[in-house]
Amino acid sequence: MEVKLDQVKGIGPQTLRIFRNQGIWNTYDLVLNTPKAYEDFSFTSISDLRDKTSVTIQGKITSLIKVNRYTKAEVTTFNISFMHQDIHIVAFGKGFLAKTFQQGDVVVVKGIYQLYKNQIVASSVIKPEKKVDIKPIYRIEGLHDANITSIISNIFNESLVQIFENIPKVYLDKYQLVGRQDAFFKLHFPKDEQDIQQALRRLKYEEAFFLHLKLALRQPSLFKRPPKNYDIHKVREFIQKIPYELTQDQKDAVNEIYRDFKQPFSSYRLIQGDVGSGKTIVSMIASYAVITAGEQVTLMAPTEMLANQHYQSFRTLMNDVNIALLTSKTKNKDQLKQEIKDHKYNLVIGTQALIESDVVFDNLGLIIIDEQHKFGVHTRDELISKANAKDILYLTATPIPRTLAMAAFGEHHVSLIKQKPKERTLVETVYLTKDKVNDLYEAIKQTVIRKEHVFVVVPAISSTKVDDNIETIYQELKERLN
């Protein structure tokens, strides 16, 4: 149930206009517009009066309230008695305090305490009966937070809104979550910090719950297909051709992929591993199995350089497979696309050119997306839509916390490759100071003599930025190496 705002006590034409400008049209919209922050008005003890800290104290005004008006500021000053000592109060832009209070009144002051001046720069001065321990801050321009709180209080007191529960009770009980309506009430009228945390925990769980449902509905495992009828003998022969032994992590990843292939529904798996851990060879073994089953495979890379690297790597080991490269620079595209459609190529490697509408596959059985985080959801979905049975491998070198990976991909759809192949040379990192720069240049010189490549990264392009830039380093390298 929801009620139009013009039927709520405390909402006049001007307030109604402000709410509507914020996209708030009814009581349900307003209740779901939770506070942006909170101001803590719980009292501060005298032992907690520390320099430049936020404090809230209650005391009696012991001096006249003075208002000094300067060119660009209005400063109100007075003293209050707190725990048998006078504290000087300074408030900017609050000249109305002189008309609201007088000497002898008890007030609650919140602000920043300045120890060495024994004064508080006040952000709020109120009557004790108006004090709440936690004040919601809504940040709606043109409306006071107190007015918004009063309006929302009327909505709850008069039952002008109904907030339905959207999480099954079994999960509320299992994870000790407060109800949905109770959560919103606690956010608007918290008694303490624990109320806020309980409500936020509930809403965070709700967000995660529906995200997980959405991801589950998008999972390719919902698409039935026959188990992949790959030729295990050819696969074993291919693995034996690999000029090095797979690490245990690679073997585990391959076995997990092959178990996916044997299921009667499509699947997708995230292969996560650092650069050099051997994700590509794992995807190659997976591709080979799919190809032996008579299906096509496509691999999409984020750059032409990486697509070319994959093309060369796959051609080297998979020399009995017809492989095509499709990028923006590919010549005779129309002919290549027709040959892809005619299944003259078992494997197609490319960039975003693969998602073009006229790229049609004959029987696409596996999609591999390298560095998947570099592609937008639309780009990935466009490629995935080209497959009848959406078996997908995502490759990434970006570390993803296990809990996040489980939430996004499901616990049984993540393969981690932590081990590096034995033949990989260890990376040696050396930190050198300026006085040892000659050692660096000697190492560069020896590398060049061995006809190996050297990459030099500098912090700037122009000499107007810093001393070490492309111009200066280029000249220095040229002089030293010639």
Side-chain angles (χ1 to χ4, degrees):
M1 181 189 71
E2 56 191 41
V3 176
K4 293 181 179 180
L5 290 179
D6 55 8
Q7 300 177 31
V8 179
K9 181 181 177 181
I11 298 181
Q14 184 176 353
T15 302
L16 184 65
R17 184 168 58 253
I18 293 172
F19 278 142
R20 286 178 175 173
N21 287 337
Q22 295 289 323
I24 300 171
W25 295 86
N26 52 53
T27 53
Y28 186 78
D29 292 340
L30 183 53
V31 169
L32 264 61
N33 187 74
T34 54
K36 304 300 184 295
Y38 295 91
E39 195 169 8
D40 187 355
F41 277 86
S42 55
F43 283 129
T44 306
S45 65
I46 191 168
S47 61
D48 290 331
L49 290 179
R50 297 185 178 88
D51 189 36
K52 296 180 181 178
T53 58
S54 178
V55 299
T56 302
I57 63 173
Q58 179 173 300
K60 182 183 289 186
I61 299 176
T62 59
S63 68
L64 294 175
I65 299 177
K66 298 178 181 179
V67 179
N68 298 311
R69 291 178 173 84
Y70 300 98
T71 305
K72 294 184 179 180
E74 183 182 67
V75 183
T76 303
T77 60
F78 57 93
N79 293 338
I80 66 170
S81 175
F82 174 68
M83 300 298 289
H84 309 295
Q85 64 170 305
D86 273 2
I87 296 180
H88 189 57
I89 307 298
V90 179
F92 295 94
K94 298 183 184 297
F96 62 88
L97 294 176
K99 298 178 181 179
T100 307
F101 301 104
Q102 60 184 359
Q103 189 173 350
D105 286 348
V106 176
V107 293
V108 174
V109 178
K110 178 177 177 60
I112 302 299
Y113 179 61
Q114 296 178 337
L115 176 65
Y116 301 106
K117 294 182 180 179
N118 194 34
Q119 74 175 20
I120 296 174
V121 179
S123 58
S124 178
V125 181
I126 60 175
K127 296 177 181 179
E129 58 267 26
K130 290 189 175 182
K131 176 188 174 293
V132 292
D133 284 346
I134 299 179
K135 176 187 173 184
I137 300 173
Y138 292 90
R139 293 177 183 156
I140 297 179
E141 189 174 351
L143 292 178
H144 292 294
D145 292 322
N147 291 344
I148 299 174
T149 298
S150 177
I151 292 169
I152 295 176
S153 178
N154 291 335
I155 291 173
F156 277 105
N157 290 338
E158 298 177 19
S159 300
L160 299 179
V161 69
Q162 189 170 5
I163 302 173
F164 292 99
E165 185 56 68
N166 56 11
I167 294 180
K169 186 176 184 300
V170 62
Y171 295 120
L172 296 180
D173 295 340
K174 181 178 180 179
Y175 297 105
Q176 299 181 336
L177 302 172
V178 298
R180 194 164 188 257
Q181 181 155 329
D182 192 22
F184 282 106
F185 185 85
K186 287 177 181 291
L187 288 175
H188 290 291
F189 307 102
K191 297 190 297 293
D192 49 34
E193 180 67 24
Q194 185 177 0
D195 272 0
I196 298 172
Q197 294 306 317
Q198 282 183 340
L200 291 177
R201 178 174 176 267
R202 150 64 205 230
L203 295 183
K204 288 177 181 178
Y205 184 93
E206 179 181 313
E207 184 179 359
F209 179 78
F210 284 100
L211 172 64
H212 207 69
L213 282 180
K214 181 180 178 181
L215 291 168
L217 290 172
R218 293 182 60 189
Q219 283 189 12
S221 59
L222 296 177
F223 297 92
K224 291 184 178 180
R225 58 145 175 81
K228 291 190 181 298
N229 187 26
Y230 56 84
D231 190 329
I232 189 61
H233 300 293
K234 288 185 177 180
V235 169
R236 286 172 179 165
E237 289 176 3
F238 173 72
I239 293 175
Q240 289 174 358
K241 285 168 47 180
I242 299 173
Y244 51 84
E245 184 181 356
L246 300 180
T247 65
Q248 188 58 48
D249 284 352
Q250 289 174 315
K251 293 177 182 177
D252 291 342
V254 169
N255 289 332
E256 287 165 350
I257 294 169
Y258 277 42
R259 279 197 291 270
D260 292 341
F261 289 166
K262 291 177 182 177
Q263 299 300 318
F265 45 78
S266 28
S267 65
Y268 73 130
R269 180 171 294 278
L270 175 70
I271 308 296
Q272 180 181 330
D274 198 3
V275 174
S277 60
K279 301 183 297 295
T280 302
I281 194 65
V282 169
S283 68
M284 197 180 297
I285 297 171
S287 300
Y288 198 82
V290 174
I291 291 168
T292 66
E295 300 174 343
Q296 286 177 303
V297 177
T298 187
L299 187 158
M300 183 168 69
T303 65
E304 290 195 8
M305 180 181 292
L306 189 54
N308 272 285
Q309 288 177 353
H310 282 313
Y311 177 67
Q312 297 300 332
S313 298
F314 276 70
R315 282 190 64 189
T316 300
L317 286 177
M318 300 172 68
N319 48 27
D320 59 336
V321 173
N322 292 328
I323 304 175
L325 177 65
L326 180 61
T327 70
S328 61
K329 296 181 179 179
T330 299
K331 297 179 180 179
N332 302 320
K333 280 187 182 180
D334 292 340
Q335 179 183 344
L336 178 61
K337 290 174 182 178
Q338 184 59 49
E339 290 173 345
I340 292 171
K341 185 177 180 180
D342 294 339
H343 205 143
K344 291 185 178 180
Y345 290 100
N346 311 113
L347 171 62
V348 183
I349 298 173
T351 55
Q352 292 189 45
L354 292 168
I355 73 170
E356 294 175 4
S357 59
D358 58 346
V359 177
V360 180
F361 294 88
D362 172 49
N363 183 16
L364 184 56
L366 177 64
I367 295 169
I368 304 169
I369 301 178
D370 194 12
E371 294 298 331
Q372 57 88 23
H373 62 282
K374 294 185 179 180
F375 295 101
V377 173
H378 173 74
T379 301
R380 297 198 300 261
D381 286 350
E382 281 289 319
L383 183 60
I384 291 169
S385 67
K386 295 176 183 288
N388 295 323
K390 300 172 175 58
D391 285 273
I392 307 163
L393 284 181
Y394 294 114
L395 311 182
T396 183
T398 303
I400 302 175
R402 178 165 176 77
T403 50
L404 181 59
M406 287 170 59
F409 294 93
E411 184 173 6
H412 303 295
H413 297 279
V414 180
S415 296
L416 298 178
I417 302 180
K418 296 181 179 180
Q419 299 169 311
K420 296 288 182 69
K422 293 179 181 179
E423 78 283 356
R424 297 282 185 190
T425 304
L426 292 177
V427 177
E428 183 180 1
T429 303
V430 179
Y431 175 81
L432 295 175
T433 53
K434 280 281 187 179
D435 59 322
K436 298 288 181 63
V437 71
N438 288 331
D439 295 343
L440 172 62
Y441 284 117
E442 180 59 28
I444 292 174
K445 189 173 182 179
Q446 293 302 319
T447 304
V448 172
I449 291 172
R450 294 195 301 269
K451 296 184 178 181
E452 297 174 354
H453 292 284
V454 177
F455 287 92
V456 179
V457 181
V458 296
I461 296 174
S462 171
S463 58
T464 59
K465 299 284 185 180
V466 293
D467 292 337
D468 291 332
N469 55 72
I470 288 179
E471 297 170 359
T472 58
I473 297 299
Y474 171 73
Q475 290 299 329
E476 190 165 351
L477 283 169
K478 194 174 180 181
E479 292 173 4
R480 287 176 175 265
L481 298 178
N482 283 345

